[in-house]
Amino acid sequence: MSFFQEIPEAPADPIFALTTAFKADPAADKINVGVGAYRTDDGKPWVLPVVQEAKKRLLTDPSAHHEYLPMSGYEPLNKSAAKLIFGEGPTLQRVASVQAISGTGALRLFGELAKKFKIAVTPDSGGRPRILLPTPTWPNHNHLFATCGFDLHMYPYLDSTTMTVDIDKMIDFISKQNPGTAVLLHGCAHNPTGVDPTKEEWKRIGQVIKEKRLLPLFDIAYQGFATGDLDKDAWAIRYFVNELGLECFVAQSFSKNFGLYGERCGCLHAMTTSPEIAAKLKGQMARESRALVSNCPSFGAKIVATVLEDPSLYAQWQESLRIMSGRILKMRQALVEGLQKHGTPGNWSHITRQIGMFSFTGLTKEECTLLKNDHHIYMTQNGRISLAGLNTGNLDRFVKAVDTVVRQTRSESSRL
Amino acid sequence: TKLILLDSLLQEKMSMFADVAAAPPIEVFQLGRDYQADTDPNKVSLGVGAYRTDEGKPWILPVVKKAEALLAQKIDKEEINHEYLPVLGHESFAASATKMLLGESSPAVKEDRSFGVQALSGTGALRVGAEFLKNIMGRDTAYYSDPTWGNHGLIFKNAGFKTINKYRYWDADSKGLNFAGMIEDLNNAPEGAVIILHACAHNPTGIDPSKEQWGQIADLIKTKNLFPFFDCAYQGFASGCLDTDAWTVRYFVERGFELFCSQSFSKNFGLYNERAGNLTVVVNDVSPITSMKSQLTLLVRAMYSNPPAHGARIVDVVLQDPDMYQEWRDCIKIMANRIIDMRKGLRERLEKLGTPGTWNHITEQIGMFSYTGLTPEMCEFLKKEKHLYLLKSGRISMCGVNNGNLDYVAQAIHDAVTKFQ
C-alpha cells in the first residue's frame, strides 16, 4: 500500500491535452492554432537575433560566472524592466521591482505577498485577499489565485455578441466592490479574447478604481507584441500611474516579446507612493521569493538586461517586435478577407479589431470539434485561435475548413 | 532630485502598503555585504556556501563551459530552441537526476516506482514537495533539525504547514550529534509528520549520522509512520564520490520507504544562479504515479507554470555523455578534496597552536560547512578585529579557506578562543 494510493487524478490542462493530440495526429497538413507561442511564416519557433547576440556576448564574457543572484534577482533586469513598463521618470523612484519566474511566477509572488500582508483583504472576504478576474481570462489566473486561497470573483468583460468590452456592466460590477479589492487587468492584448478596452474605456475603468480605492494588478505578457510599439502597449498602466496617481502591481513576462518562453524571465513590480515604502515592499517581495525559489535563474535575465541596456540591441529588438506583430496583423487581415471572399456566414470583422496573439473567433464548441475531427485543425474549445499558428502556407486551407464547418452548423439554425 | 521631491509631494497620501514592515535582514546576506564593504587586505569571507578555488575565486567547471558551448551550437543548428519545457520539466534531466541519486541498480528505478520533477534548484524542489504534502496529502506538521539551513522553516511555513518543530541535532558539548535527543524528539513526533533530513553534509553543522545511526533513525521513522523528506544539496561534493554521498537515501529506499528528496545542482555543478534542481519521488507502488504527476502538474502551474531550461540542459548534457560525466566526477573530486585539505590544515594548525578545546570535529565534519563551536562573542571579535566573516552560530564555510589565508585564519581563531576562555 502506498501513502499516495488515494490521490485522485487531476483533470488534464486543456491546452496541453490539445498539444498532445496535435502531436499524435499523423495528418501531414495538420494545423495547430492552440498554444500561444510565436511561429514564423514557415511555422517554426523564432530565436530573436538580439537574443542570439546577447547570448554570444554572455558566452564570451571573461567575467561571466554562475554565482547566486540576490533574492530580488538580477538588479539590472529589475531596473530596465521597470523603465520598460512605466517609462522614464520620477515614478521609477517609488517602484519595487523583483525578478520572478516569468509572468506566472510574478502573479504567484503577488499572491504570496497578499496573503502574508493581508493585501486586498476586505471586510467580507473572510480574511482572504479578494481578487476580481475578467470573464473570460487566461484559465491559469483562476487556478493560481484559487490555489493561493484568494476569494475569487469574476467581473463582466467580454460582450460576445459585439466582441467588444461590455464596459457599462464591467464598471457597474467594479463600482460595487469594497476598498482594497484587487482587480486583475490585462495590460494589453487580452488573453484569450484579443479584445482590449479603448482609451476612453480605460479612463472610465481607472476612474472607478480610483474612486473606490481598489488595487489594480496588471498582467502584461505582450508588451510590444500587441501594437508593435512598446510605449503604446504600456499606455493603460502609465495612465493609471501617471494621470490617476494610482498604486498598482504589474506582473511582467518576457516569454513572448523576447521569445524566451522556456527561460522563465519576468518581474513583479509594486508601484507605490514613496521610495521608503517601495524599499520595504521590495524586501518583503524578495523574502517571499526566497521561500519559493531562493533566487531566480540568471540566463534569461541577463539576456533581456543586455538587450534593454544596449541602445543598438534595443532598436533591433523593437524591429523584431514589429516583425512579429506585423505578421500576426497580416494573418488577421488575410483571415477576414478570406472568410469574406468565401461568403462564410457570420460577421468576422472582429478578427481584425482584436489585438495580440489571440482571437476569439466566435466559433462554437461544436465547430471547434468538427475542425479537429474532420480537418485536423486544433484550437481550444472556446473558439480561441493563436494567429501565430497561421501562415501563408496554411491560411487558405484554414479558411476553407472554417467555411465548411460554419456552413454545416449554421445552415440549420435561423440565427445570423 | 527636484522632480523626485515634487513627485513625492504629489503622492503624499496614504499608501495601501503603509503598514508593511521592513523584512528582517537575513544574516548570511548581511554578512556578505559587510565583507564587501570591508577594505582590510586580510579579510576572509567564511559566510556563503559557494565554492571558491585556492585563489579565492568562483570556479566555472570546465565541463560546464563545454556544455554551454555545445548548447549554443545546438541552438544555432535549430536542434533546440527556447520554447516552453513540460510542466514537470526537462524529461531527460529529471530522469537522469533521479537515477544519479538512487543509483541505476536501485529497486525503485528498476521497478519504475521513482520519478523526478524538475524544480527551481533545491529550494524549488522543497517547496513543490511541501505544497504537495500539505495540499494533496493533508500533512501539516513538519520537523527540521536544530540547527538547519535557514530557509527550511520559511519554505514549509509558506507552503501552509501549521506546526513546524525542531528535533535536537547539534550537541554543543561534544561538538557532535545529539543522537539521543534526536531520537527522543522524533519518537514524540505525531504520526504522518514530515521529517526534513539532510542526505549528506548537514548544513550548517557538517555532522552526519553514522550508518548505524541512520539505521536506527529509519527504524523509528517506520515505527512512527513519519514521512522522510531528504534535502540533498551536496551529492558528490561531500566525500568526492556520488555513490558514497547518496548512501543514506539509497538505504532508505532499500528499506522500502516512500520518500521525497530535493536535489540541488547548485554546488556540485557550480551552477548556483541557473537554479537546476529536481524533486525525486519514490513510491512503493506504481499505481498512484499518474495521479501524483497530475496533481504535481497543477501545483507547478500555480507556482511558475514550467521550469527554466538552461541550467537543466547543461546538467543533462553532462549526465548523458560518458566522457563529460567522468570529467564532471573529476571536478567534484577536486572541489571535495580541496575542502578536505583545508579541514586538515585548519585542525593541524589549531592543535599546533595549542588552541584551547578539541578540534577533531573540524576533520570529522563533512561538506562545505563546519560548526566550529565558536561562541557569538568570539565570532563578533573575529569580524571586528580580525576581519573574518562568519555566522554568529560559529558556522564557517570551508570554501573561504585557502592556502593563502590558512595561517591567518588559524591564528585569528586561536586569538578569539584564548581571549574569551
Coordinates of all heavy atoms in Angstrom, one line a residue, chain B residues 185-214:
Chain B
D185 N 13.1 13.2 20.2 CA 12.2 14.1 19.6 C 11.4 13.5 18.4 O 10.2 13.8 18.3 CB 13.0 15.4 19.1 CG 13.5 16.2 20.3 OD1 13.0 16.0 21.4 OD2 14.4 17.0 20.1
L186 N 12.1 12.7 17.7 CA 11.4 12.0 16.5 C 10.4 11.0 17.1 O 9.3 10.8 16.5 CB 12.4 11.3 15.6 CG 13.3 12.3 14.8 CD1 14.2 11.4 13.8 CD2 12.4 13.2 14.0
N187 N 10.7 10.4 18.2 CA 9.8 9.5 18.8 C 8.5 10.2 19.3 O 7.5 9.5 19.4 CB 10.5 8.8 20.0 CG 9.8 7.5 20.5 OD1 9.4 6.8 19.6 ND2 9.7 7.4 21.8
N188 N 8.7 11.4 19.6 CA 7.5 12.2 20.1 C 6.7 12.9 18.9 O 5.7 13.5 19.2 CB 7.9 13.3 21.1 CG 8.3 12.6 22.4 OD1 7.8 11.6 22.8 ND2 9.3 13.3 23.1
A189 N 7.2 12.7 17.7 CA 6.5 13.3 16.6 C 5.2 12.6 16.3 O 5.1 11.4 16.4 CB 7.4 13.2 15.3
P190 N 4.2 13.4 15.9 CA 2.9 12.7 15.7 C 2.9 11.9 14.4 O 3.8 12.2 13.5 CB 1.9 13.9 15.5 CG 2.8 15.1 15.1 CD 4.1 14.8 15.7
E191 N 2.1 10.9 14.2 CA 2.1 10.1 13.0 C 1.9 11.0 11.8 O 1.1 11.9 11.8 CB 0.9 9.1 13.1 CG 0.9 8.2 11.9 CD -0.1 7.0 12.1 OE1 -0.8 7.0 13.1 OE2 -0.2 6.2 11.2
G192 N 2.6 10.7 10.8 CA 2.4 11.4 9.5 C 3.2 12.7 9.4 O 3.2 13.3 8.3
A193 N 3.9 13.0 10.5 CA 4.8 14.2 10.4 C 5.8 14.1 9.3 O 6.4 13.0 9.1 CB 5.4 14.5 11.7
V194 N 6.1 15.2 8.7 CA 7.1 15.2 7.6 C 8.5 15.6 8.3 O 8.6 16.6 9.0 CB 6.8 16.3 6.5 CG1 7.9 16.3 5.5 CG2 5.5 15.9 5.9
I195 N 9.4 14.7 8.1 CA 10.8 14.9 8.7 C 11.8 15.3 7.7 O 12.0 14.6 6.7 CB 11.3 13.7 9.4 CG1 10.2 13.0 10.3 CG2 12.5 14.0 10.3 CD1 9.7 13.9 11.4
I196 N 12.3 16.5 7.8 CA 13.3 17.0 6.9 C 14.7 16.5 7.3 O 15.1 16.8 8.4 CB 13.3 18.6 6.8 CG1 11.9 19.1 6.4 CG2 14.4 19.0 5.8 CD1 11.8 20.6 6.7
L197 N 15.3 15.7 6.5 CA 16.6 15.1 6.8 C 17.6 15.5 5.8 O 17.3 15.7 4.6 CB 16.5 13.6 6.7 CG 15.4 12.9 7.7 CD1 15.0 11.6 7.2 CD2 16.0 12.9 9.1
H198 N 18.8 15.8 6.2 CA 19.9 16.1 5.3 C 20.5 14.8 4.8 O 21.0 14.0 5.6 CB 20.9 17.0 6.0 CG 20.4 18.3 6.5 ND1 20.9 19.5 6.1 CD2 19.3 18.6 7.3 CE1 20.3 20.5 6.7 NE2 19.3 20.0 7.4
A199 N 20.5 14.6 3.5 CA 21.0 13.4 2.9 C 22.5 13.2 3.2 O 22.9 12.1 3.4 CB 20.8 13.4 1.4
C200 N 23.3 14.3 3.1 CA 24.7 14.2 3.5 C 25.2 15.6 3.7 O 24.5 16.5 3.2 CB 25.5 13.5 2.4 SG 25.6 14.5 0.8
A201 N 26.3 15.7 4.4 CA 26.9 17.1 4.6 C 25.9 18.0 5.2 O 25.5 19.0 4.5 CB 27.5 17.6 3.3
H202 N 25.5 17.7 6.4 CA 24.5 18.5 7.1 C 24.9 20.0 7.1 O 26.0 20.4 7.4 CB 24.3 18.0 8.5 CG 23.3 18.8 9.3 ND1 23.6 19.9 10.0 CD2 22.0 18.5 9.4 CE1 22.4 20.3 10.6 NE2 21.4 19.5 10.3
N203 N 23.9 20.8 6.7 CA 24.1 22.3 6.8 C 23.3 22.8 7.9 O 22.1 22.7 7.9 CB 23.6 22.9 5.4 CG 23.7 24.4 5.4 OD1 24.2 25.1 6.4 ND2 23.2 25.0 4.4
P204 N 23.8 23.5 8.9 CA 25.2 24.1 9.0 C 26.3 23.3 9.7 O 27.4 23.8 9.7 CB 24.9 25.4 9.7 CG 23.8 25.0 10.7 CD 23.0 24.0 10.0
T205 N 26.0 22.2 10.3 CA 26.9 21.6 11.2 C 28.1 20.8 10.6 O 29.1 20.7 11.1 CB 26.3 20.7 12.3 OG1 25.8 19.6 11.6 CG2 25.2 21.4 13.0
G206 N 27.8 20.2 9.4 CA 28.7 19.3 8.8 C 28.8 17.9 9.5 O 29.6 17.0 9.2
I207 N 27.9 17.7 10.4 CA 27.8 16.4 11.1 C 26.7 15.5 10.5 O 25.5 15.9 10.5 CB 27.5 16.6 12.6 CG1 28.7 17.3 13.2 CG2 27.3 15.3 13.3 CD1 28.4 18.0 14.5
D208 N 27.1 14.3 10.1 CA 26.1 13.4 9.6 C 26.0 12.2 10.5 O 27.0 11.8 11.1 CB 26.6 12.9 8.2 CG 26.4 13.9 7.1 OD1 25.7 14.9 7.3 OD2 27.0 13.8 6.0
P209 N 24.8 11.6 10.7 CA 24.7 10.4 11.5 C 25.6 9.3 10.8 O 25.8 9.3 9.6 CB 23.2 10.1 11.4 CG 22.6 11.3 11.0 CD 23.5 12.1 10.2
S210 N 26.0 8.4 11.6 CA 26.7 7.2 11.1 C 25.7 6.3 10.4 O 24.5 6.4 10.6 CB 27.4 6.5 12.2 OG 26.4 5.9 13.1
K211 N 26.2 5.3 9.7 CA 25.3 4.3 9.0 C 24.4 3.6 10.1 O 23.2 3.4 9.9 CB 26.1 3.3 8.2 CG 26.7 3.9 6.9 CD 27.4 2.9 6.1 CE 27.9 3.5 4.8 NZ 28.7 2.7 4.0
E212 N 25.1 3.3 11.2 CA 24.3 2.6 12.2 C 23.2 3.5 12.8 O 22.1 3.0 13.0 CB 25.3 2.2 13.3 CG 25.0 1.0 14.1 CD 24.3 1.3 15.4 OE1 24.5 2.4 15.9 OE2 23.6 0.4 16.0
Q213 N 23.6 4.7 13.0 CA 22.6 5.7 13.5 C 21.4 5.9 12.5 O 20.3 6.0 12.9 CB 23.2 7.0 13.8 CG 24.1 6.9 15.1 CD 24.9 8.2 15.3 OE1 25.4 8.8 14.3 NE2 25.2 8.5 16.6
W214 N 21.8 6.0 11.2 CA 20.7 6.1 10.2 C 19.8 4.9 10.2 O 18.6 5.0 10.0 CB 21.3 6.2 8.8 CG 21.7 7.6 8.3 CD1 23.0 8.0 8.0 CD2 20.9 8.7 8.2 NE1 23.0 9.3 7.7 CE2 21.7 9.8 7.8 CE3 19.5 8.9 8.4 CZ2 21.2 11.1 7.6 CZ3 19.0 10.2 8.2 CH2 19.8 11.3 7.8

